[in-house]
Amino acid sequence: MKFEQQLALKTIPSWAIYYLNYKKLKSVLYTDFERTSSGPVLTDSGAGAKEPVGDRSKANGHVPSDTSDYDAFRALFLSEVDKVNTRYVEQESEAREKLTTLKTQWKGGEAAASESSKAEFIKLLRQLENLSDFTQSNITACRKILKKADKVSRQTMTLRLWPLVTNLRFAKSESDEALLHEARAVWRKRAAIPIAPEVAEVTGTLESKMRRLTPAVATVSELDLASFPAGQISRVWVALAEDGMGLPIRVPVIIAKGTVEGPVVGITAALHGNELNGIPLIHRLFDEVSPAKLHGTLVAVPVANSPGFLLSQRGYTDGTDLNRVMPGKPNGSSPQVYAYNLMHRIIRHFEYLLDMHTASRGRVNSLYVRANLLDSRTARMARLQNPQIIVHNTSPDGSLRGAAMQRGIPAITVEIGDPSRFQKRFVRNALIGVTNILSQLRMIPDEANASEFEPVVCTRSFWIFAKSGGILTVHPDVNTWVRSGDVIATIHSVFGDLEEEYFAPQDGIIVGKHVDPVCQSGNRILHLGVVENELPAVVDDGHM
């Protein structure tokens, strides 16, 4: 996988011209190599980059001994890191001045209440978050290109050039992180929402006792967030439809309302009734969150498709996939009415949405996120979510994510492993991702946690389908790479004869795969993520 592609896909679009030009540096490096090694044979590494073959430069009797052989690369490298440093210094100075001004304005408390002041502060926080991402990406790019230069030139380029990088402010200073931490601390000092005395009495040290109380849970026909008390966790049933006896078909909703105003973040799970990993994630999140320290409101629907959940099936009672009929219809079919009421009674109140899914029955998934990476809000949410893979996908029609995005609610889909089971490791890492997003939104005091995974960003993905039926074996594991032409699956007859082989149509990473050996023609075999140079304006793998 080409690092330059991943760097480009993770770049902040409006800052793109200020990043280290890794592609150009690599090109100049190989040009210098060709000039100094008397025309060695070069070969394609498989990802489009030219690499020197073995020790052929030595065979040609030329082993460079001085960086003067690579003057063009060295000059360009120093120019590029100076460009990065200039951008860092400009943005850091500007952010520092803005923070000083806003702190002065907010000191009296009056400016903190004005919408314009809040907007300016949010803009500053985003600027500092961008600066932090920019810094880390460019430091990594410097290390990568110098490591490659060591390999190509057989010289100690890193030893000679890395000290020059570390003397620059963007690499040696941590003031961007310090400013971000300070800005978040100032933001969190806004005036608190008044808490009723009876609520205040059970917060703080008695909060854990409050959690153990299990009062009767009311059923409502509409989620009214204003009606819930600040500083505590509330539970309600929300009725979305009626069954054949006229009884309400309800979904459980958990609300943690903070003591300070802030965003409304919604989490949904089990929209497909047998996709369960999101449920323990929600339970653990609400067990850990402290409403007394929360800014904003956290709303979770642990089981969004209660009829399907009770039947241990993906779809609604009639088998309809609810993630194909959003936003529903008020006068449509039963699943359309259910979907409409889910959107209008619950989802429309959210300002951000995380929709938790897993693979379908008979399949397994990596821990991955589907998001529109052209939207800066959802791109950042995807990176913070702690996935193994991020797939660029622009919200297909009929999906909950697409319906939310159409309403202006930034939404991502989080695929947490396999169906009909709880997977602790995936749940733990997805939970870290959720808390990272809450931290980024300044809802909780915790700083974002480092990801266990370095996610692979795919510009698109697609499924490979079976042409015939039989006994299916899919060979590569999820989250592994295949090259074009590799055998990825075989189908045998029930008598054991090899009927068909399937080959990877191009290089890619395995996002998910089919594990049920019983295969009919048209079954999905393998979900392949592809890394290319640009993000398409519209892309849909048909998988919701």
Side-chain angles (χ1 to χ4, degrees):
M1 178 185 62
K2 294 171 69 174
F3 171 77
E4 69 192 65
Q5 288 179 317
Q6 290 294 294
L7 177 64
L9 297 174
K10 295 175 184 178
T11 292
I12 302 162
S14 59
W15 293 32
I17 61 173
Y18 303 106
Y19 280 72
L20 193 85
N21 193 332
Y22 187 92
K23 184 176 182 179
K24 186 175 180 181
L25 280 164
K26 193 171 71 170
S27 175
V28 170
L29 175 65
Y30 291 135
T31 300
D32 278 358
F33 179 83
E34 290 176 350
R35 185 178 61 251
T36 60
S37 59
S38 302
V41 178
L42 301 181
T43 185
D44 195 316
S45 65
K50 297 295 184 181
E51 297 281 5
V53 177
D55 290 332
R56 296 190 183 181
S57 61
K58 290 183 180 180
N60 290 336
H62 181 89
V63 180
S65 60
D66 192 277
T67 52
S68 60
D69 290 328
Y70 290 85
D71 280 344
F73 170 79
R74 185 177 186 277
L76 180 60
F77 178 79
L78 294 177
S79 173
E80 286 293 306
V81 294
D82 183 66
K83 174 186 71 177
V84 171
N85 190 62
T86 299
R87 176 65 171 179
Y88 176 88
V89 171
E90 289 175 352
Q91 290 294 306
E92 182 208 344
S93 299
E94 181 181 308
R96 188 182 298 278
E97 290 177 8
K98 284 183 182 178
L99 180 58
T100 301
T101 300
L102 286 168
K103 281 173 64 178
T104 302
Q105 292 176 353
W106 282 44
K107 193 171 183 180
E110 296 179 2
S114 73
E115 290 301 319
S116 61
S117 179
K118 289 179 183 178
E120 282 298 309
F121 216 107
I122 290 171
K123 185 178 177 181
L124 170 63
L125 286 163
R126 287 178 179 169
Q127 180 182 6
L128 286 168
E129 289 160 359
N130 286 343
L131 187 59
S132 179
D133 289 347
F134 174 79
T135 302
Q136 294 306 313
S137 293
N138 281 290
I139 290 173
T140 301
C142 287
R143 289 186 181 276
K144 288 279 188 179
I145 195 62
L146 289 178
K147 183 178 179 181
K148 184 174 287 291
D150 287 346
K151 178 181 177 182
V152 171
S153 68
R154 295 182 175 81
Q155 299 173 10
T156 53
M157 289 280 199
T158 299
L159 184 62
R160 300 182 187 192
L161 295 179
W162 181 246
L164 301 177
V165 175
T166 56
N167 281 329
L168 294 174
R169 187 164 179 78
F170 85 95
K172 72 176 182 180
S173 171
E174 296 182 353
S175 58
D176 54 322
E177 293 291 343
L179 285 171
L180 179 57
H181 181 78
E182 183 180 357
R184 284 175 170 169
V186 173
W187 175 266
R188 293 190 63 81
K189 290 180 180 178
R190 292 176 297 168
I193 299 170
I195 306 177
E198 62 273 17
V199 175
E201 188 177 337
V202 294
T203 58
T205 58
L206 296 180
E207 191 172 320
S208 59
K209 181 179 178 181
M210 179 190 69
R211 293 175 189 273
R212 292 195 295 269
L213 300 177
T214 54
V217 179
T219 297
V220 299
S221 59
E222 173 77 29
L223 188 65
D224 178 12
L225 295 179
S227 67
F228 297 106
Q232 74 176 61
I233 293 176
S234 303
R235 301 176 178 90
V236 293
W237 294 98
V238 178
L240 301 182
E242 293 185 355
D243 65 17
M245 294 191 294
L247 299 176
I249 301 175
R250 310 175 300 176
V251 294
V253 180
I254 311 173
I255 305 99
K257 189 170 183 180
T259 57
V260 177
E261 291 183 359
V264 179
V265 171
I267 306 174
T268 53
L271 183 63
H272 292 139
N274 62 344
E275 299 184 3
L276 309 180
N277 269 330
I279 298 173
L281 182 151
I282 288 171
H283 290 168
R284 288 183 58 179
L285 176 64
F286 277 81
D287 190 51
E288 294 175 6
V289 74
S290 171
K293 299 177 182 178
L294 182 67
H295 287 213
T297 304
L298 184 61
V299 182
V301 185
V303 179
N305 177 4
S306 53
F309 174 79
L310 293 173
L311 294 171
S312 297
Q313 70 181 33
R314 175 183 175 87
Y316 196 65
T317 50
D318 62 353
T320 297
D321 189 335
L322 290 177
N323 214 28
R324 302 291 192 275
V325 297
M326 295 292 172
K329 296 180 180 179
N331 299 307
S333 64
S334 295
Q336 287 174 332
V337 171
Y338 185 95
Y340 178 86
N341 288 333
L342 178 66
M343 286 294 304
H344 285 263
R345 297 181 184 183
I346 300 175
I347 305 299
R348 71 179 180 88
H349 298 288
F350 300 166
E351 295 175 15
Y352 297 87
L353 170 64
L354 289 77
D355 188 23
M356 304 291 167
H357 286 260
T358 74
S360 302
R361 189 183 302 276
R363 303 176 201 153
V364 294
N365 267 349
S366 57
L367 175 58
Y368 81 98
V369 169
R370 287 196 304 280
N372 183 354
L373 299 183
L374 295 174
D375 186 305
S376 61
R377 302 165 302 174
T378 50
R380 184 176 293 277
M381 290 167 68
R383 290 194 299 271
L384 290 166
Q385 184 52 54
N386 198 33
Q388 295 170 309
I389 300 170
I390 299 172
V391 175
H392 173 52
N393 184 282
T394 52
S395 303
D397 292 339
S399 70
L400 177 58
R401 176 167 62 97
M405 293 289 284
Q406 288 174 359
R407 293 186 69 97
I409 303 170
I412 62 173
T413 302
V414 184
E415 296 278 354
I416 315 175
D418 310 338
S420 302
R421 58 185 298 203
F422 291 161
Q423 294 169 286
K424 290 184 178 179
R425 177 170 176 252
F426 275 1
V427 169
R428 181 183 69 248
N429 280 288
L431 178 60
I432 290 172
V434 172
T435 56
N436 282 349
I437 290 171
L438 298 180
S439 173
Q440 189 83 359
L441 293 171
R442 281 76 65 186
M443 294 180 68
I444 58 175
D446 304 334
E447 292 296 321
N449 290 283
S451 171
E452 178 178 330
F453 312 110
E454 177 60 32
V456 174
V457 178
C458 297
T459 50
R460 62 185 178 91
S461 68
F462 60 90
W463 278 91
I464 297 168
F465 294 86
K467 298 176 183 176
S468 57
I471 309 301
L472 172 68
T473 303
V474 182
H475 301 295
D477 292 328
V478 295
N479 197 38
T480 61
W481 288 87
V482 294
R483 288 192 174 275
S484 178
D486 287 352
V487 176
I488 55 174
T490 52
I491 290 182
H492 290 77
S493 72
V494 291
F495 299 103
D497 299 322
L498 178 62
E499 295 289 337
E500 196 160 9
E501 288 184 309
Y502 292 85
F503 302 90
Q506 61 189 107
D507 296 353
I509 189 168
I510 309 304
V511 180
K513 71 174 190 175
H514 203 77
V515 292
D516 187 345
V518 181
C519 177
Q520 298 181 2
S521 54
N523 274 11
R524 298 183 184 216
I525 293 177
L526 182 145
H527 187 192
L528 189 68
V530 178
V531 179
E532 295 169 330
N533 293 325
E534 294 183 359
L535 297 170
V538 178
V539 60
D540 173 18
D541 61 8
H543 184 89
M544 303 181 193

